[in-house]
Amino acid sequence: MQLIFEKSQPGRRAIRWDTLDVPEKKLPADLCRAEAAALPEMAEIDVVRHFTHLSQRNVGIDDTFYPLGSCTMKYNPKVAETVAALPGMARLHPHLSTSTAYNGNVQGAYELIYELERELAEIAGMQAASIQPIAGAHGELTGTLLMAAYHRDRGNTHKDTIIVPDSAHGTNPASANIAGFKVVEIASNAQGLTDLDGFKAALNENTAGIMMTCPNTHGLFEKDIAEIAKLCHEVDALLYYDGANLNAIMGECRPGDLGFDVMHYNLHKTFATPHGMGGPGCGPVGVGKRLLPYLPGPRVVKKDGGFALETPEKSIGRMAAFFGNYLIAVRAYAYLRHYGGEGLHDVSRKAVLNANYIFARLKDAFEPAFDGRFMHECVFTASKQAEGGVRAMDFAKALLDEGYHAPTVYFPLTVPECLMIEPTETESKETLDAFCDTMLKLAERAKTDPESFKEAPKTTSVSRLDEVKAAKDLNCACL
Ligand SMILES: *Cc1c(COP(=O)(O)O)cnc(C)c1O
């Protein structure tokens, strides 16, 4: 497919300006470019076709089941998009004074932020939340900076280490490191859970905290959290909860009640914004009482019958311009209003039910990576099939020919030939059955005709790429 620049024809235009009916005024020379910008020149219809064709080459949740584990690629209610697109929301300028109205009042936005932070805190058993961070990993950085501020304040200068189980998300050790901590990794036990003995061996006076993902990247609930929390707090170490997978536990249990001091949420996974692979995100932090004084500022507070901004005295400061990606917060607020408490509980029950349904249907054909009960995603190893020449990657590629996006493969790193499947709560039984039928069909084919996998995918614009080169040296023209 040609790039839009290659389709460009000198002099073509998609719009026609009216003839001037006022005297022409030139911009000052020092504001003008020396040379005209290199923009494509095309007719409107050709621009529309170009972008429509491009959009049709995308795989997205709006046109297919997307079982990518760890990413929560779920369908989100369109009502949240409608609400975020209302002019009073979308056109609100962050520099409006608190008393100025544009299609409403900025007080309304403050109220929305105040209420959303309160509700997020409530869902997770935290004291308060801040919507500033603009991604899950950014929430982790904010959370670990909060941990650092807590220890600095208490003179805990020797506390320089954060423990991270190898079943945590890959961003956890990176965030802890950027926040200035040393990272000690501990291995999971055979059940895929944080190994209590390994944890005890790593814990000491220098431990600033632990970062746990729960359910962890093996899709399992960490059953020793209460014990880990007790031991951490005994040496004044803090517990960080990676809550990107909150859709597994809402209404069932709350991280704050389990003993966690700080956490992040992924609004762009759990709460109505599609997880856009690098698109805009919102990763609010929630804090318990220990970290309350250090929250990023400014914060929206109730004042004089309305809302005002205040920065806590010991705040770590700003983590984003204004309130970060505000419109994602609007979508999350609409989502929470749409579902209510019981609805959210139902979301989690269905997310877990769907994953376990897939697990039950596939477990005889693909070897489960662990014995435990999976939560919102299930993890298999294709090691047996790999011995016969069909690897996890081959299944991923063959699925593309069957009309599905591939599940996550080769992650988590702890599982060889890993296939990690997350159906999410929004898929129907028919969709899950069709996907399972396809997986079972492929498992049969792996036995009878392993060679056929080498040709897959045959139906996509390009077949097997050098994946590293394709990511680092993107060349869309070959599509
Ligand atoms: C997605 C995810 C993250 C990171 O979130 P981003 O918004 O992609 O930075 C962190 N932890 C877990 C468990 C996740 O699934």
Side-chain angles (χ1 to χ4, degrees), residues 160-163 176-177 180-184:
D160 60 356
T161 308
I162 288 188
I163 299 174
N177 201 263
F181 291 103
K182 289 186 217 152
V183 173
V184 175

Side-chain angles (χ1 to χ4, degrees), residues 188-209:
S188 304
N189 59 21
Q191 289 81 48
L193 300 172
T194 299
D195 181 44
L196 203 50
D197 291 334
F199 165 73
K200 284 181 188 161
L203 183 72
N204 59 42
E205 274 303 314
N206 296 336
T207 308

Side-chain angles (χ1 to χ4, degrees), residues 70 135-137 140 169 171-172 213 242 244-245 264 266 268-269 275:
S70 189
E140 293 168 25
H169 197 73
T171 45
N172 289 190
T213 301
D242 180 330
N245 299 330
H264 80 268
N266 272 40
H268 51 292
K269 280 183 185 168
H275 184 45

Side-chain angles (χ1 to χ4, degrees), residues 24-320:
E24 186 174 339
K25 271 276 188 194
K26 293 247 187 277
L27 284 173
D30 61 336
L31 293 181
C32 293
R33 294 170 184 274
E35 286 168 32
L39 297 173
E41 299 174 77
M42 290 174 87
E44 181 176 335
I45 179 70
D46 296 319
V47 175
V48 170
R49 285 187 185 149
H50 179 80
F51 285 106
T52 304
H53 287 160
L54 267 185
S55 76
Q56 288 165 345
R57 277 158 193 262
N58 262 339
V59 177
I61 202 68
D62 283 352
D63 60 9
T64 185
F65 176 51
Y66 212 120
L68 201 66
S70 189
C71 288
T72 312
M73 302 300 291
K74 71 176 184 182
Y75 179 79
N76 286 297
K78 293 287 179 260
V79 64
E81 297 295 324
T82 309
V83 172
L86 293 172
M89 302 289 186
R91 296 206 194 147
L92 202 61
H93 195 285
H95 275 310
L96 280 174
S97 92
T98 49
S99 58
T100 313
Y102 176 85
N103 250 351
N105 194 305
V106 77
Q107 280 287 323
Y110 286 175
E111 182 170 359
L112 188 148
I113 293 169
Y114 181 88
E115 287 296 329
L116 177 63
E117 290 183 344
R118 209 179 50 76
E119 286 175 18
L120 289 173
E122 169 70 24
I123 289 167
M126 293 280 147
Q127 297 272 316
S130 163
I131 64 158
Q132 273 193 32
I134 55 172
H138 196 220
E140 293 168 25
L141 176 64
T142 307
T144 40
L145 289 173
L146 290 169
M147 290 160 82
Y150 169 88
H151 287 309
R152 226 176 9 251
D153 205 17
R154 293 165 69 86
N156 286 344
T157 47
H158 54 291
K159 290 200 173 289
D160 60 356
T161 308
I162 288 188
I163 299 174
V164 185
D166 65 1
S167 61
H169 197 73
T171 45
N172 289 190
S175 304
N177 201 263
I178 294 173
F181 291 103
K182 289 186 217 152
V183 173
V184 175
E185 188 181 279
I186 52 173
S188 304
N189 59 21
Q191 289 81 48
L193 300 172
T194 299
D195 181 44
L196 203 50
D197 291 334
F199 165 73
K200 284 181 188 161
L203 183 72
N204 59 42
E205 274 303 314
N206 296 336
T207 308
I210 182 170
M211 292 179 89
M212 296 181 76
T213 301
C214 186
N216 64 24
T217 55
H218 300 151
L220 303 169
F221 193 87
E222 292 282 3
K223 67 179 178 51
D224 289 322
I225 288 173
E227 175 76 3
I228 290 170
K230 184 172 137 293
L231 293 170
C232 274
H233 287 145
E234 272 170 19
V235 294
D236 202 15
L238 300 166
L239 286 94
Y240 186 98
Y241 180 87
D242 180 330
N245 299 330
L246 211 66
N247 66 333
I249 63 157
M250 290 183 299
E252 291 291 335
C253 69
R254 307 192 305 168
D257 301 336
L258 298 173
F260 286 95
D261 300 292
V262 51
M263 66 176 291
H264 80 268
Y265 313 70
N266 272 40
L267 300 193
H268 51 292
K269 280 183 185 168
T270 314
F271 300 107
T273 291
H275 184 45
M277 298 296 158
C282 184
V285 283
V287 293
K289 59 179 185 315
R290 290 182 179 81
L291 296 182
L292 202 52
Y294 312 100
L295 273 175
R299 302 194 43 68
V300 176
V301 293
K302 266 197 169 143
K303 205 168 185 182
D304 304 332
F307 296 88
L309 299 183
E310 262 175 24
T311 297
E313 208 181 310
K314 293 183 176 180
S315 168
I316 59 166
R318 256 190 196 289
M319 288 305 292

